[in-house]
Amino acid sequence: MDNLFFDIGQLARCGKNVIIGKTVRIRYPELVSIGDNCIIDDFTYISTALELADYVHISAGAKLIGGPTSKVSIGSFSTTAPNVVLSAG
């Protein structure tokens, strides 16, 4: 699971069977917790604290933004549309 923009080991939590695209950018990896069986597709940008439950799919080109003091939580068996922008504040 090599990534071009951050070290996977910096994530707060990374569950089992997780797939993270090579071009995913995570600005604050220490604030990101990923459950089991999750997929984050390429060209996704995450710049907020993020908590993904199990079986979550973040589609290609998604932008989850809000800064380090905001938090986005996505429940189990959820997905996002391609190129969606979710802004937390």
Side-chain angles (χ1 to χ4, degrees):
M1 287 197 322
D2 290 337
N3 188 280
L4 297 175
F5 301 107
F6 70 97
D7 179 5
I8 301 291
Q10 293 176 314
L11 295 172
R13 178 178 182 273
C14 187
K16 296 181 284 186
N17 301 318
V18 170
I19 299 170
I20 299 174
K22 195 173 222 173
T23 59
V24 171
R25 290 182 184 229
I26 299 179
R27 188 166 189 178
Y28 309 105
E30 67 279 3
L31 301 178
V32 174
S33 177
I34 301 172
D36 295 336
N37 304 299
C38 291
I39 299 171
I40 303 176
D41 286 339
D42 282 314
F43 309 110
T44 295
Y45 177 66
I46 300 167
S47 69
T48 191
L50 177 65
E51 183 177 322
L52 300 181
D54 297 336
Y55 297 95
V56 174
H57 177 219
I58 305 298
S59 295
K63 291 159 193 69
L64 309 176
I65 58 177
T69 59
S70 297
K71 183 175 184 179
V72 173
S73 296
I74 300 178
S76 294
F77 299 99
S78 298
T79 189
T80 65
N83 300 308
V84 71
V85 177
L86 190 148
S87 181

